[in-house]
Amino acid sequence: MDDEPAENISGGDSGGGTVSEFDPTNADTRAEGVVDRLGELYWQKTYGGQDAFECLVRTVLSQNTSDKASQPAHDALMERYGSDNPGDLAVALADAAQDELAETISAAGLYNQKSETLIRLAERIVAEYGGEDGFDEFVKDEDPPEVRSALLEMKGVGPKTADCVLLFSGGRGGVFPVDTHVHRIARRMGLAPADADHEGVREHLERDVPADKCGFGHTAMIQFGREYCSARKPACLEDPDACPLADDCEQVGVYPETGEVVDPSEAPEAK
């Protein structure tokens, strides 16, 4: 994505969560070792506590766009329907006029589609949980597999969105959401099979990374993707020493000798 902000808002000071120190020695798996190094490079945080419905709204707004675009849309939505207008956010969005909501969140892109999704989700949450408080209680108190399954049954909620709600609202350890950065980096580094889909990458990372490190592993890996391991021009392409994790990367699909970069699933060595 173009023009991403310098810092992942979920990991930086404005992203919530509390600092959680850890001992990086003697990692049991290579993936844990990589996450430890990312934690030392960026941050170590324990997440949880965000309002579940607002977290769901924020994640929907972030789909197929950057923080730079989704954050103003979130702020405008909350100003119009949320914190500056006391009441139930889910009820407010369920009753919102779609064209007005679309205009409010236009900065996020795909605003017609996202406004329809948000209204549909709000209507379902009001009908099934009574509103944002009931939904918040469900996300934070019920078993994670049950919460994840219920979220995935909602049209417009995919695995990454469901996992972000579990992590940032429910504070559930062992949840490693996989976005485009995590999907690319885990396969490029050889932490997951080159042809793994998003769910396959998630399964490998959640298997190999301790539960209390998955949260900051997710946010720090996103930051690493923005700063060093971009899709088209990873730092190692021109200078191996430019990447702090170069010594622990298999460079699947990255060829400094020719300057070529391909998706790991298309790399000859992965076939």
Side-chain angles (χ1 to χ4, degrees):
M1 290 177 285
D2 296 330
D3 299 324
E4 291 231 22
E7 187 172 86
N8 176 6
I9 61 170
S10 297
D13 292 338
S14 64
T18 57
V19 174
S20 178
E21 299 293 340
F22 73 99
D23 181 0
T25 60
N26 300 320
D28 291 330
T29 66
R30 182 166 161 258
E32 181 182 1
V34 168
V35 166
D36 285 350
R37 293 179 67 180
L38 289 170
E40 291 180 308
L41 185 64
Y42 295 113
W43 46 70
Q44 302 116 43
K45 281 189 172 185
T46 298
Y47 292 100
Q50 293 184 14
D51 176 80
F53 184 66
E54 184 179 349
C55 182
L56 179 60
V57 168
R58 180 188 290 276
T59 310
V60 169
L61 291 174
S62 73
Q63 293 171 354
N64 300 301
T65 191
S66 69
D67 289 346
K68 184 177 182 179
S70 65
Q71 185 63 39
H74 168 267
D75 293 344
L77 181 149
M78 293 303 296
E79 181 179 357
R80 186 164 193 169
Y81 300 100
S83 55
D84 289 350
N85 296 281
D88 190 303
L89 178 61
V91 172
L93 291 185
D95 292 338
Q98 189 267 329
D99 58 339
E100 293 180 355
L101 178 57
E103 180 184 2
T104 302
I105 64 170
S106 59
L110 299 175
Y111 46 87
N112 285 320
Q113 176 182 323
K114 290 178 181 180
S115 59
E116 292 173 357
T117 296
L118 290 173
I119 291 171
R120 182 174 60 249
L121 290 174
E123 290 173 342
R124 180 163 182 168
I125 284 165
V126 170
E128 294 190 11
Y129 304 100
E132 62 177 344
D133 288 345
F135 181 63
D136 192 64
E137 182 178 350
F138 171 72
V139 168
K140 293 176 180 176
D141 293 347
E142 294 300 324
D143 291 337
E146 181 179 349
V147 176
R148 191 173 195 267
S149 177
L151 289 168
L152 291 175
E153 289 176 359
M154 300 179 183
K155 185 178 179 181
V157 176
K160 180 248 184 177
T161 298
D163 290 336
C164 283
V165 173
L166 277 169
L167 174 63
F168 294 113
S169 176
R172 306 308 179 94
V175 177
F176 204 123
V178 176
D179 75 336
T180 184
H181 294 289
V182 175
H183 185 239
R184 175 181 70 253
I185 292 165
R187 295 177 302 131
R188 185 177 278 174
M189 294 191 73
L191 303 179
D195 61 352
D197 60 11
H198 283 65
E199 283 290 89
V201 168
R202 181 183 67 83
E203 290 171 1
H204 276 77
L205 293 175
E206 291 183 357
R207 181 195 69 192
D208 294 341
V209 177
D212 58 350
K213 297 181 180 181
C214 285
F216 72 76
H218 161 73
T219 58
M221 194 172 288
I222 292 173
Q223 185 66 20
F224 177 71
R226 293 175 176 176
E227 190 170 345
Y228 293 102
C229 199
S230 64
R232 297 184 180 89
K233 295 182 179 180
C236 65
L237 197 63
E238 297 182 0
D239 180 6
D241 295 330
C243 176
L245 268 63
D247 62 329
D248 200 8
C249 180
E250 295 183 3
Q251 290 186 306
V252 180
V254 179
Y255 309 101
E257 303 83 3
T258 63
E260 184 182 11
V261 178
V262 300
D263 186 272
S265 63
E266 300 174 2
E269 67 269 30
K271 297 185 182 299

